[in-house]
């Protein structure tokens, strides 16, 4: 599969981890985390060309960014060095931002190891770190030179992390592809089919709107306006991202039905599927509408205080609605 972007294109290869690591250039530095390095020590070499970081969102910070780029300098990495991210979205976003800025940009290969990173963060070129003031506030569009998808790495992924990625998988189906929802529902889609299909869907969207200016890429935000607000008010604890957007998708489907945008009955189908995936679909804190709405208005995607949502029209279709009245959002949240 090839993804085209403004600076060129990159391939997405489906292969096993041994092959992906074996095919890396000699002049490279691998960035990974302790969990991935331990789980896959047989295949990921830990030597002077590897940087192993602590796991978790706190690693996606300016502190660790500085640590990694300084380490590249200490190891005398040049413009020809390739940075390789082997890990989840945290490692991918952090290493990608290091690659985007070290010596004004070096090559960057992604080998994502969580389902979420495989179907979402590794494709599309968004890289960056969090600030204490907010998530993803510093970053760049820096496309990788290659992405390798190795399905077998998912065998060591904890079940909760797998379900976390499945929230994004269901999202792709609900916003873009009703047939895919049916196949997922009947458990007919193998994991390699799920990976390939979601990546194809994401790649098509980012090719059509690389820099999120045309309202096409913003469609991927279904469930995220409320989901991000939940994460923010909880200080990014309690729920994983996919769990927060699972709750967000259900709440936004209810909002869509209330506004007459979403076909009646869609919420029920969505809720059932997410629940059988083991994902949360409600949270008592939703009733604190004020806190959530304040968080939504601060989101960097909200333009001048307006509330924008990607809402389902029916299963497999969505549209971007800007300027959703705050009163409707408040009523929906208060009713949950
Ligand atoms: N760039 C983008 O477009 C984009 C899109 C979505 C999310 N993100 C970012 O991605 C990050 C979340 O990514 P994530 O959910 O992958 O989290 P993560 O990178 O923290 O990984 C989750 C956990 O799983 C462990 N892990 C990873 N692979 C494993 C494996 N194969 N076996 C065992 N354990 C493994 C990690 O060590 C970690 O503890 C967030 O920072 C989010 O902002 C970026
Ligand atoms: Zn997401």
């Amino acid at each position: 599969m090839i993804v085209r972007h403004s600076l060129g294109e990159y391939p997405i290869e489906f292969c096993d981890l041994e092959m992906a690591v074996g095919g890396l250039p000699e002049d490279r530095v691998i960035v990974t985390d302790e969990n991935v390095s331990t789980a896959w020590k047989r295949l990921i070499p830990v030597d002077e060309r590897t940087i192993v970081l602590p796991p978790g969102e706190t690693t996606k910070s300016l502190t660790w960014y500085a640590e990694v780029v300084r380490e590249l300098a200490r190891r005398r990495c040049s413009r020809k060095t390739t940075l390789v991210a082997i890990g989840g979205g945290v490692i991918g976003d952090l290493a990608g931002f290091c690659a985007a800025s070290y010596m004004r940009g070096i090559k960057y290969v992604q080998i994502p190891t969580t389902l979420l990173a495989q179907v979402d963060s590794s494709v599309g070129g968004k890289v960056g770190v969090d600030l204490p003031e907010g998530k993803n506030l510093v970053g760049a569009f820096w496309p990788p030179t290659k992405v390798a998808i190795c399905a077998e790495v998912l065998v060591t992924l904890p079940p909760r992390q797998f379900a976390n990625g499945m929230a994004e998988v269901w999202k792709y189906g609900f916003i873009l592809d009703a047939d895919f929802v049916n196949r997922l529902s009947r458990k007919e889609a193998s994991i390699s089919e799920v990976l390939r299909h979601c990546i194809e869907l994401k790649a098509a969207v980012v090719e059509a709107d690389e820099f999120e200016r045309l309202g096409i890429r913003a469609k991927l935000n279904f469930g995220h306006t409320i989901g991000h607000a939940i994460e923010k008010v909880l200080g990014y604890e309690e729920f994983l991202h996919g769990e927060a957007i699972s709750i967000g998708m259900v709440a936004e489907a209810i909002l869509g039905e209330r506004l007459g945008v979403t076909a009646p009955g869609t919420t029920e189908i969505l809720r059932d599927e997410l629940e059988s995936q083991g994902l949360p679909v409600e949270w008592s804190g939703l009733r604190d509408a004020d806190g959530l709405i304040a968080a939504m208005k601060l989101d960097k995607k909200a333009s001048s205080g307006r509330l924008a949502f990607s809402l389902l029209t029916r299963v497999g279709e969505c549209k971007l609605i800007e300027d959703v009245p705050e009163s409707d959002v408040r009523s929906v949240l208060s009713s949950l």
Side-chain angles (χ1 to χ4, degrees):
M1 203 187 296
I2 298 285
V3 180
R4 275 164 281 272
H5 56 84
S6 58
L7 301 172
E9 57 180 41
Y10 55 91
I12 298 183
E13 291 174 6
F14 296 80
C15 61
D16 59 34
L17 184 60
E18 187 166 12
M19 197 180 278
V21 173
L24 292 173
E26 278 296 309
D27 185 359
R28 55 109 199 288
V29 170
I30 292 174
V31 180
T32 187
D33 76 20
E34 284 155 11
N35 292 340
V36 177
S37 166
T38 306
W40 292 92
K41 58 175 179 284
R42 193 172 59 84
L43 297 177
I44 304 172
V46 177
D47 54 25
E48 69 292 344
R49 291 179 298 169
T50 312
I51 299 173
V52 184
L53 302 176
E57 188 70 33
T58 47
T59 299
K60 212 178 100 173
S61 63
L62 286 176
T63 308
W64 285 104
Y65 162 76
E67 201 47 57
V68 173
V69 285
R70 291 189 64 196
E71 191 57 35
L72 297 180
R74 286 193 288 263
R75 295 186 193 192
R76 308 238 176 282
C77 294
S78 75
R79 287 218 168 105
K80 295 203 172 105
T81 304
T82 298
L83 205 57
V84 184
I86 311 186
V90 163
I91 293 298
D93 282 13
L94 171 73
F97 189 51
C98 295
S101 49
Y102 183 71
M103 293 196 169
R104 298 198 182 81
I106 59 172
K107 282 187 255 169
Y108 161 54
V109 170
Q110 294 236 46
I111 307 180
T113 62
T114 61
L115 179 58
L116 182 124
Q118 289 175 328
V119 298
D120 192 354
S121 60
S122 65
V123 181
K126 282 190 192 175
V127 297
V129 296
D130 303 329
L131 297 183
E133 288 75 14
K135 241 178 88 71
N136 294 321
L137 285 184
V138 176
F141 284 97
W142 189 251
T145 36
K146 183 167 128 179
V147 181
I149 303 291
C150 312
E152 93 262 31
V153 296
L154 297 177
V155 300
T156 57
L157 194 66
R160 186 176 174 200
Q161 292 289 346
F162 186 82
N164 181 48
M166 282 306 291
E168 300 282 359
V169 169
W170 283 106
K171 181 198 77 179
Y172 287 120
F174 274 92
I175 62 173
L176 297 168
D177 190 339
D179 282 343
F180 185 48
V181 169
N182 289 333
R183 291 184 56 70
L184 286 172
S185 180
R186 291 193 230 108
K187 302 200 179 351
E188 284 169 6
S190 66
I191 189 65
S192 38
E193 183 190 334
V194 166
L195 293 173
R196 197 175 278 274
H197 193 59
C198 292
I199 293 167
E200 269 166 8
L201 291 171
K202 170 127 192 206
V205 169
V206 299
E207 277 187 356
D209 183 14
E210 187 181 354
F211 301 111
E212 206 164 333
R213 287 177 191 144
L214 308 174
I216 302 169
R217 196 163 177 170
K219 287 184 178 179
L220 297 173
N221 286 331
F222 172 54
H224 283 61
T225 307
I226 292 178
H228 280 152
I230 296 172
E231 291 186 279
K232 202 173 285 178
V233 299
L234 287 171
Y236 300 91
E237 280 166 21
E238 185 164 338
F239 293 122
L240 298 175
H241 173 71
E243 295 168 346
I245 69 142
S246 173
I247 298 166
M249 285 192 280
V250 172
E252 291 182 18
I254 297 169
L255 175 68
E257 290 197 32
R258 178 188 167 96
L259 295 171
V261 175
T262 305
T266 309
T267 307
E268 217 175 301
I269 303 171
L270 175 70
R271 189 192 281 122
D272 287 352
E273 298 295 6
L274 295 173
E275 232 171 357
S276 27
Q277 185 68 58
L279 285 160
V281 291
E282 56 197 11
W283 171 54
S284 57
L286 285 179
R287 268 163 261 144
D288 170 23
D290 287 338
L292 287 165
I293 289 173
M296 281 175 221
K297 286 182 172 166
L298 282 177
D299 196 289
K300 67 181 183 305
K301 283 175 186 131
S303 40
S304 57
R306 292 178 306 160
L307 296 177
F309 288 84
S310 166
L311 295 178
L312 299 180
T313 45
R314 56 191 167 98
V315 175
E317 262 181 36
C318 67
K319 78 175 178 203
L320 193 66
I321 311 276
E322 290 167 300
D323 256 338
V324 172
E326 199 181 305
S327 53
D328 285 298
V329 181
R330 192 177 300 276
S331 305
V332 165
L333 293 174
S334 314
S335 71
L336 296 173

